[in-house]
């Protein structure tokens, strides 16, 4: 059957930005007779993104090249010689013009043939897949030198591949093994598809994820090690013991390894095929760990114990796939050069952070932790204003009355709006801290001399000016204050608000009279002058129910008549730093 090619829209979006001749790799995944191109990496000498940084099953599947006049066919074919997942690698050509002419080709029998392709969104691309997050523990010892560490990791990979590992998946009574049963599945009869097993699972951590509106399905799995042997397997053969004694001074490193990797699994795969995929993922993770450790030891001297590094999974929306980094003790400032290389290699803009620690993918919280809803404006009915719609860029959390069992009804709306603004900067990775509490806010205003000491633990209001003070003091964020003399004048602020959301993309806090709200976007009709506001209302007092919030108008579009004609308003427009 003819191979169908699908390309994630973010791949083409980045190729369209190219201005100079260059080349790089393409990464994709197969689903039935379809190859979906999910990512790319610019060819460079840094080697900043080894292929084992990607989830298992997402593999090197082709190349791209941007050129002004022509490309060298023979060189392209040679570059694709190391593609292992298909006999027909993909070649995307980018002829550098005003808009960049992009064509998709297949390489077959040393011939390059143009083929058609389908552009897909992230949700369409991942609708056939589910991610498995596998975690477990391993341990090795090695001498503190490159050769010994390499030999120890090689031995560990061979040991893991020998069949001593098992994996629990979805439900604790399902175990995947190599040979303990006919199809490698213990606790389940037959060989169902992975999708059938997961359709009743609640996802990572056992929690329903509806409120997050994520198109990424994640299932948790654990790795186990077999500690007994099958007496009938013939593994244990009788022989005389041999002891070799080598007397020398020896310094050994104790290296704990916490496995934490992802695999992208097609839902139509039978469960019996999953063992080999998860094993592939463990091997990739060990290669990634070894690479990170060797790099770390080149600049740090360690005599005995190696501290556990952080394993960080990133899923930038502009990237389109997970990327895993293993980071040993290092500050954000020390990691800045590495982040710049990552942005360059993935053809990503450097206007906002993507690979800071605080940008790591937020897996679902345990079911007993009920946090604020994320991006509640997604799915809100559009307006009939027929204007230019500009919205908040990135993620934020919805803070409102009476969360965390705190009764702030009647006085806490501006505090809640501030928390929504703060969550935006935290979720975008600009700041690595928790969202400030009411007491944090009040204490900050007292310490800067804006409020008296009895303001702490009081129920006194704050306004947009105080919000700007606290943003600057606690988060280091500067703000622009926009004054409006009446509700009617709000209708004249269309150009300024459009410019804010286009250039900054941050949510806006607005206070007027006795109320405060958050503006998430505007719909501005330049011809008629009509302006509508996407309002997030902090006065909501119910539970974290997305349907209620959207259907009852707690998040929705409002016209100028929403604002009190007799009240004056101050808007706090936070400015987004231009740094990664």
């Amino acid at each position: 059957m003819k191979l169908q090619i699908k390309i994630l829209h973010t791949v083409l979006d980045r190729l369209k930005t190219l201005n100079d001749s260059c080349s790089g790799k393409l990464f994709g995944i197969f689903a039935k007779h379809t190859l979906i191109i999910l990512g790319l990496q610019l060819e460079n000498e840094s080697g900043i993104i080894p292929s084992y940084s990607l989830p298992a099953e997402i593999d090197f599947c082709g190349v791209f090249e941007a050129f002004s006049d022509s490309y060298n066919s023979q060189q392209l074919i040679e570059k694709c010689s190391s593609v292992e997942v298909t006999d027909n690698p993909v070649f995307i050509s980018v002829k550098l013009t005003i808009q960049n002419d992009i064509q998709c080709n297949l390489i077959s029998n040393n011939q390059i043939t143009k083929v058609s392709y389908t552009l897909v969104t992230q949700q369409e691309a991942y609708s056939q897949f589910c991610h498995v997050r596998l975690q477990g523990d391993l341990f090795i010892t090695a001498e503190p030198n490159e050769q010994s560490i390499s030999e120890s990791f090689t031995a560990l990979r061979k040991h893991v591949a020998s069949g001593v590992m098992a994996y629990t998946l979805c439900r604790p009574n399902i175990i995947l093994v190599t040979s303990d049963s006919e199809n490698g599945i213990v606790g389940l009869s037959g060989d169902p598809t992975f999708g059938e097993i997961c359709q009743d699972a609640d996802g990572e951590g056992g929690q329903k994820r509806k409120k997050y509106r994520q198109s990424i399905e994640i299932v948790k799995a654990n790795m186990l090690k077999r500690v007994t042997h099958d007496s009938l397997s013939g593994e244990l053969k009788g022989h005389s013991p041999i002891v070799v004694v080598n007397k020398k001074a020896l310094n050994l490193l104790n290296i704990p390894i916490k496995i934490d990797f992802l695999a992208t699994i097609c839902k139509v795969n039978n469960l019996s095929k999953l063992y080999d995929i998860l094993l592939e993922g463990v091997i990739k993770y060990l290669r990634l760990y070894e690479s990170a450790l060797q790099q770390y030891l080149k600049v740090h001297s360690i005599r005995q114990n190696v501290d556990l590094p952080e394993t960080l999974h990133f899923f930038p929306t502009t990237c389109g796939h997970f990327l895993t980094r293993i980071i040993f003790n290092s500050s954000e400032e020390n990691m800045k050069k590495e982040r710049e290389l990552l942005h360059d290699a993935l053809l990503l803009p450097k206007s906002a952070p993507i690979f800071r620690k605080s940008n790591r993918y937020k897996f679902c919280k345990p079911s007993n932790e009920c946090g604020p809803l994320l991006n509640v404006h997604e799915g809100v009915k559009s307006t009939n204003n027929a204007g230019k719609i500009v919205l908040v860029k990135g993620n934020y959390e919805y803070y409102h009355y009476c969360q965390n069992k705190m009764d702030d009804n009647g006085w806490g709306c501006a505090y809640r709006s501030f928390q929504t603004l703060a969550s935006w900067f935290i979720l975008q990775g600009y700041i690595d801290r928790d969202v400030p509490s009411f007491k944090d806010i009040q204490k900050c205003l007292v310490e800067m001399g804006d409020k008296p000491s009895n303001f702490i633990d009081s129920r006194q209001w704050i306004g947009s000016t105080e919000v700007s003070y606290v943003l600057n003091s606690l988060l280091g964020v500067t703000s622009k204050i926009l004054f409006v003399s009446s509700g009617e004048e709000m209708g004249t602020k269309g150009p300024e608000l459009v410019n804010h959301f286009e250039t900054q993309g941050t949510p806006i806090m607005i206070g007027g009279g006795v109320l405060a709200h958050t503006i998430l976007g505007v719909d501005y009709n330049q011809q008629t002058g009509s302006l509508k506001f996407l309002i997030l209302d902090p006065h909501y007092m119910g539970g974290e129910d997305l349907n209620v919030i959207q259907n009852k108008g707690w998040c929705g579009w409002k016209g100028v008549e929403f604002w009190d004609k007799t009240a004056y308003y101050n808007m706090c427009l936070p400015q987004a730093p231009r740094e990664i």
Side-chain angles (χ1 to χ4, degrees), residues 42 112 139 249 304 332 461 568:
L42 190 66
I112 298 176
F139 187 87
Q304 186 172 6
E332 292 287 17
W461 300 344
Y568 68 88

Side-chain angles (χ1 to χ4, degrees), residues 48-54 153 157 260-261 281-295 310-313 323-328:
I48 190 67
I49 311 175
S51 60
Y52 30 88
S53 295
L54 304 178
F153 271 95
R157 287 193 291 269
D260 184 353
F261 82 94
V282 175
I283 299 299
K284 288 179 74 170
Y285 183 86
L286 290 175
R287 292 188 183 279
L288 183 63
Y289 196 109
E290 180 186 354
S291 174
L293 179 59
Q294 295 280 27
Q295 287 296 115
E310 289 184 272
T311 298
L312 306 177
H313 303 290
L323 185 74
T324 299
R325 308 293 293 163
I326 295 178
I327 300 174
F328 287 85

